[in-house]
Amino acid sequence: MNQDIKTKCPICEGETFVDFNGRINVKCVSCSSLERHRIAFQIYKNEGLFEEGRRRYVLHLAPERILSEKLMANRDLSYFGSDPRTESYNWMRLLKLYLPNDFKIFDDNYFDFILHNHVMEHIPGSYIDHLHEFQRILAPGGAMIFSIPGPSMSKLTEEGGEHLSSPEERLAKFGQVDHFKQFGRDLVDFLEASDGMRFQFDQLTDIERVRMSIPKGSNRFLIWRKNQRRQEN
Ligand SMILES: [Zn+2]
């Protein structure tokens, strides 16, 4: 991808990458990680998820095996994985949750981290309702670290795929048979304007991306943080 810069996998320190699904040099030969896994791992590391010495509560939706095994190895994390299709995971136990209805099982201010990648476009209903619930269950000082297709800043979000009558219609409108929405700039506006929350895209530079064998500017992650409680005087 870039002959001048030495590439190394942040997960396993492997240095050899091969093409995958037409994408050049994106799969790590030794741990099989793809771009999204490596960037997530690096951000989780930067956010202190692999540090020990302090109990933290983590909710990981549709957990990727390579990431969850690393997270579960940190005994100071109380780690919960969740998916509506628990049967497709034979390597860990998960909570079987159908979002958004099952959000309500979680108390307010519970999780220090909420992690999910390419999940929100599969959840039926209004993304604003879902973000309100994520905000509610996030602990003060906690962060939701996530990725989605896009967002496309030249468009507004389109939702409602669950009301289309066929997978073919969803494919045509949203690009995949099980996608219910496509995110636009209003998502970023909402994240930025939410009371008591701060938003930023990940701060990894293009050089840092290339060093992990990730194309420049690609795989942008979103980090939505809840403010600490105000100090009582
Ligand atoms: Zn690797």
Side-chain angles (χ1 to χ4, degrees), residues 100 103 124-135 159 190:
F103 272 116
S126 155
Y127 81 83
I128 289 177
D129 293 340
H130 309 157
L131 288 175
H132 279 307
E133 283 296 288
F134 284 128
Q135 180 178 358
E159 301 187 294
F190 184 87

Side-chain angles (χ1 to χ4, degrees), residues 141-158:
M144 181 162 87
I145 304 167
F146 66 110
S147 59
I148 50 167
S152 172
M153 299 303 280
S154 62
K155 296 179 182 166
L156 293 174
T157 298
E158 287 196 70

